[in-house]
Amino acid sequence: MVGLSEGEKHFIRGGIAQDVRTDGRRRLQFRSLSVQTGVIPQANGSARVRLGATEIIASVKAELGKPSILHPDKGKVAIFVDCSPTAEPLFEGRGSEELSAELSVSLQRCLLGGKSGAGAAIDLSSLIVVDGKVCWDLYIDGLVVSSDGNLLDALAVAIKVALSDTGIPKVNVSVSAASDEEPEVDVSDEEFLQFDTSGVPVIITLTKVGRHYIVDATSEEESQMSSAVSVSVNRHGQICGLTKRGGAGLDPSVIFDMISVAKHVSQQFISLLDSEIAAAEAEEEAQ
Amino acid sequence: MKDRHLSLNQTQRVRLEAALQELQSVAPAAVSAAAVTVADTIPVNQEDNILKGHGTSDQDGEVVATLCGVVERVNKLVYVRTLRARYKPEVGDIIVGRVIEIAPKRWRLEINFSQDAVLMLSSMNLPDGIQRRRTAVDELNMRSIFEENDVICAEVRGFQHDGSLHLQARSEKYGKLERGQLLMVAPYLVKRKKQHFHHLEKYNVDLILGCNGFIWAGEHVVVGEKPKTTGGQQGFSTEAENFTPLETRKHICRLANSVRVLSALGFTLTVELIIETMEASASSNVEINDMLGAEFYVQTAEREAKRRADLLRKKNDAR
């Protein structure tokens, strides 16, 4: 991305200090959010999300697999993020590997919980078909199509919308006499189980610029940040994950302020997202 | 230039289509006739000695377009001017560019052209305003005049014999632009006019419409005012006092959002239309960031359709 002149940087910092950012937003206001579902017919669920000029495509694929030995009663979920070279010239070749890996790990922490599987936003037990033998494996892929800052929040939104669009085929298991044999499974082509996404959190990133912090930073504003804290908050106001970026240290009291602000902002954001998902699903059915 | 996508609801979509239909109907017939797509026939009325220029081809004795754009004629030359294309400089154009490199005796600027523009040290006014020969000390101090990523306003001087594009900044109104924001729109939206510098006294804002599609909206700078010395890094307390005043900043952001909305709709950017859009948003109590929303987008299209229809009606009444 092209750099900014000293005067432009000063103008951006002044805008954040005076609560009038370069596009007129206040510190805690988001850019316009646009949601579209069912963009990839081959996937079990997919979504395209635009947050200002940032654009993300997320897809969910489900495959039958074998549960892990450590957790025979739970399914498996994997999250991958890829940054398209068209999003930013820096992403050409291997330029986006570090950012993609960082985004993937952040999303895994927020959505999948710890190693024990407890606290996961997705109910992994609902993915089990036959205990210890057959389960659903979910593969969640996020593709950054256009990059204008705030990628982590947009990715979390895209994954949440894609999961709400996901339909997992219904599986009928034939009971076999010998319990140690591989069970026969019949995957239905017509019946689908809808995913419960009420527990999937949203991520609110608070970017610190000067003495203030803002939500939904553009790439220009991110270039002026000293640090950024991403808080993952679910519908009930509980924190599911917390990550920090940027080189400058933060005072603990500032972090507590950020967390309370993130909880407050996330309630409005989740309501907005729910209405956008409902509108997108209605529009998809209308086609 | 990042495109903006808006999610319109059903009512807004219908209103927008109605406004665009009206804009089509009031457009002069010559305008729609001049627009061509690939393989369209360009009517030349059987004139002899037609020179087929850029974007045209001969096909069975007919002139056919090979590009999408607008047909232009200069005497016997017929060519197609594409819209979504990079900026093509002409001598005398006022442009806004960004410094990307400092080379011996010159700065290289990005101006949305296929190659970088060159601003020679000898082609600009020194900061102290004295007219004198440039010395080796001046060459060493070039970074203190313009450094990398600075935004500069300049004039196209012409192409040199080696094919490079040269700029000049000899007037006091040219030079470094500070305390504002740079917007990038498609170059075809900015028409060449006598005046590209606009000082909006009512709002204390400088608006510069660069012919290359770079538009600057910033705080007004008094010409000839001595630039403040940047000795040492300013502390936060002093920096806060140096910020742009809040009212001026709001005006700058409204103007910038007006440019964004008008360019998203594809309207030609004139200072009158930008100010009109800005004042329409202020009088309707539209929040600055809501100017980028769907509702104001549709309202702007409707207002422009009504304005052009009124203009056409006045012309018809005058006959």
Side-chain angles (χ1 to χ4, degrees):
Chain A
M1 119 167 167
V2 185
L4 295 167
S5 72
E6 203 54 46
E8 281 173 304
K9 293 173 181 173
H10 186 267
F11 190 77
I12 289 172
R13 291 196 299 266
I16 291 166
Q18 292 172 333
D19 210 14
V20 181
R21 291 151 79 176
T22 51
D23 53 6
R25 285 184 289 150
R26 301 193 177 277
R27 284 192 279 260
L28 302 182
Q29 268 179 329
F30 281 84
R31 289 171 284 181
S32 65
L33 176 70
S34 171
V35 163
Q36 195 181 338
T37 53
V39 297
I40 301 177
Q42 296 89 354
N44 294 87
S46 60
R48 182 207 296 263
V49 165
R50 294 188 187 95
L51 187 59
T54 294
E55 187 173 341
I56 309 282
I57 295 180
S59 75
V60 180
K61 275 224 159 209
E63 286 180 3
L64 284 175
K66 202 179 174 69
S68 157
I69 295 175
L70 296 177
H71 310 294
D73 59 334
K74 289 180 164 58
K76 300 196 301 253
V77 179
I79 300 180
F80 304 98
V81 173
D82 190 24
C83 297
S84 166
T86 61
E88 191 91 16
L90 285 171
F91 295 159
E92 191 178 358
R94 299 170 157 264
S96 64
E97 273 186 14
E98 185 181 331
L99 178 62
S100 301
E102 187 182 316
L103 293 169
S104 296
V105 171
S106 297
L107 289 164
Q108 286 172 35
R109 290 286 175 273
C110 297
L111 294 175
L112 302 188
K115 284 183 186 287
S116 67
I122 301 165
D123 184 15
L124 300 179
S125 303
S126 66
L127 297 175
I128 205 71
V129 177
V130 177
D131 210 75
K133 287 186 167 56
V134 186
C135 74
W136 283 109
D137 292 343
L138 285 194
Y139 298 97
I140 303 176
D141 291 279
L143 174 67
V144 178
V145 176
S146 179
S147 170
D148 189 25
N150 209 23
L151 296 181
L152 190 57
D153 297 24
L155 276 158
V157 168
I159 288 172
K160 184 180 170 76
V161 178
L163 285 171
S164 74
D165 185 54
T166 298
I168 296 181
K170 189 173 171 131
V171 182
N172 298 306
V173 184
S174 63
V175 181
S176 57
S179 59
D180 57 333
E181 286 179 15
E182 284 290 327
E184 284 186 31
V185 295
D186 176 35
V187 181
S188 169
D189 284 339
E190 292 151 8
E191 290 180 79
F192 292 94
L193 303 178
Q194 212 63 49
F195 221 82
D196 177 28
T197 58
S198 59
V200 180
V202 295
I203 297 179
I204 307 290
T205 298
L206 296 137
T207 305
K208 195 159 194 296
V209 178
R211 282 182 292 170
H212 306 271
Y213 43 84
I214 57 175
V215 301
D216 193 15
T218 63
S219 48
E220 285 89 22
E221 286 159 343
E222 278 181 354
S223 69
Q224 297 304 297
M225 77 171 184
S226 52
S227 58
V229 170
S230 297
V231 187
S232 175
V233 190
N234 66 9
R235 188 177 306 269
H236 315 292
Q238 296 159 342
I239 295 172
C240 306
L242 192 68
T243 58
K244 176 192 169 292
R245 306 196 317 271
L250 277 173
D251 194 86
S253 60
V254 176
I255 297 183
F256 289 136
D257 282 347
M258 286 173 160
I259 291 171
S260 62
V261 166
K263 285 176 63 176
H264 176 71
V265 168
S266 66
Q267 300 308 306
Q268 309 165 24
F269 195 62
I270 287 174
S271 305
L272 168 70
L273 189 53
D274 287 342
S275 58
E276 289 287 336
I277 291 173
E281 285 172 349
E283 183 161 350
E284 188 185 355
E285 288 167 5
Q287 291 171 8
Chain B
M1 291 178 278
K2 297 180 191 284
D3 284 330
R4 291 187 180 267
H5 297 267
L6 287 170
S7 53
L8 310 171
N9 58 40
Q10 192 62 35
T11 306
Q12 287 165 346
R13 202 172 295 128
V14 169
R15 285 164 55 198
L16 181 65
E17 282 168 10
L20 296 182
Q21 280 290 329
E22 185 163 3
L23 284 165
Q24 286 256 339
S25 62
V26 301
V31 169
S32 51
V36 290
T37 57
V38 174
D40 276 4
T41 300
I42 299 174
V44 293
N45 299 324
Q46 306 301 325
E47 294 184 36
D48 293 334
N49 302 324
I50 286 291
L51 291 174
K52 290 175 279 292
H54 179 67
T56 64
S57 176
D58 186 47
Q59 185 84 17
D60 297 332
E62 283 182 336
V63 181
V64 179
T66 61
L67 295 171
C68 301
V70 176
V71 176
E72 301 270 359
R73 293 192 56 159
V74 181
N75 297 329
K76 292 198 177 293
L77 172 69
V78 178
Y79 67 99
V80 176
R81 174 172 59 86
T82 55
L83 299 181
R84 295 227 166 247
R86 281 200 178 251
Y87 167 62
K88 292 187 177 67
E90 289 183 12
V91 176
D93 278 353
I94 287 163
I95 54 97
V96 178
R98 191 186 291 279
V99 177
I100 57 175
E101 191 188 1
I102 297 179
K105 295 186 188 177
R106 69 194 70 189
W107 294 269
R108 295 194 186 280
L109 276 77
E110 158 68 27
I111 62 164
N112 195 23
F113 185 38
S114 51
Q115 67 196 49
D116 298 330
V118 169
L119 176 63
M120 301 295 295
L121 176 59
S122 52
S123 298
M124 47 90 61
N125 271 0
L126 291 171
D128 49 24
I130 300 175
Q131 301 286 341
R132 58 178 175 80
R133 289 182 72 87
R134 277 60 173 174
T135 64
V137 176
D138 293 317
E139 288 183 37
L140 295 176
N141 290 328
M142 280 174 69
R143 187 166 269 98
S144 67
I145 303 174
F146 302 135
E147 66 177 3
E148 285 89 350
N149 293 326
D150 272 355
V151 183
I152 289 173
C153 182
E155 183 185 340
V156 172
R157 182 178 174 186
F159 286 92
Q160 297 298 301
H161 58 274
D162 58 354
S164 60
L165 176 72
H166 276 234
L167 310 174
Q168 61 185 356
R170 295 193 180 277
S171 170
E172 271 183 339
K173 57 185 182 181
Y174 299 129
K176 188 193 288 191
L177 304 172
E178 301 194 80
R179 291 171 175 249
Q181 50 177 312
L182 179 70
L183 305 157
M184 298 177 183
V185 304
Y188 73 96
L189 297 175
V190 183
K191 297 301 183 213
R192 287 182 176 86
K193 301 219 165 178
K194 290 183 178 178
Q195 186 65 260
H196 282 267
F197 298 91
H198 304 281
H199 170 213
L200 314 180
E201 294 185 40
K202 187 176 172 184
Y203 310 113
N204 198 35
V205 174
D206 279 340
L207 186 67
I208 303 177
L209 304 174
C211 292
N212 58 334
F214 287 14
I215 294 176
W216 176 263
E219 193 181 350
H220 174 59
V221 178
V222 179
V223 175
E225 186 179 79
K226 293 284 183 179
K228 301 169 185 175
T229 53
T230 55
Q233 189 70 17
Q234 307 175 67
F236 273 121
S237 55
T238 53
E239 187 184 68
E241 293 157 17
N242 287 336
F243 284 148
T244 302
L246 183 61
E247 278 305 308
T248 305
R249 180 181 299 275
K250 286 181 175 176
H251 295 319
I252 293 170
C253 293
R254 271 195 197 274
L255 283 166
N257 281 356
S258 300
V259 170
R260 291 181 175 116
V261 172
L262 294 170
S263 65
L265 283 161
F267 292 150
T268 300
L269 295 169
T270 63
V271 63
E272 294 84 16
L273 188 55
I274 293 169
I275 293 176
E276 185 193 319
T277 306
M278 174 205 182
E279 291 178 347
S281 74
S283 60
S284 308
N285 288 320
V286 176
E287 291 285 334
I288 302 176
N289 64 301
D290 285 335
M291 292 174 72
L292 303 177
E295 179 61 27
F296 189 72
Y297 183 88
V298 176
Q299 283 177 17
T300 304
E302 289 173 338
R303 191 182 330 107
E304 179 67 9
K306 182 176 182 301
R307 188 183 72 92
R308 294 189 193 185
D310 290 350
L311 212 62
L312 191 65
R313 201 173 302 117
K314 279 179 192 169
K315 282 184 182 177
N316 291 340
D317 293 350
R319 288 177 200 158

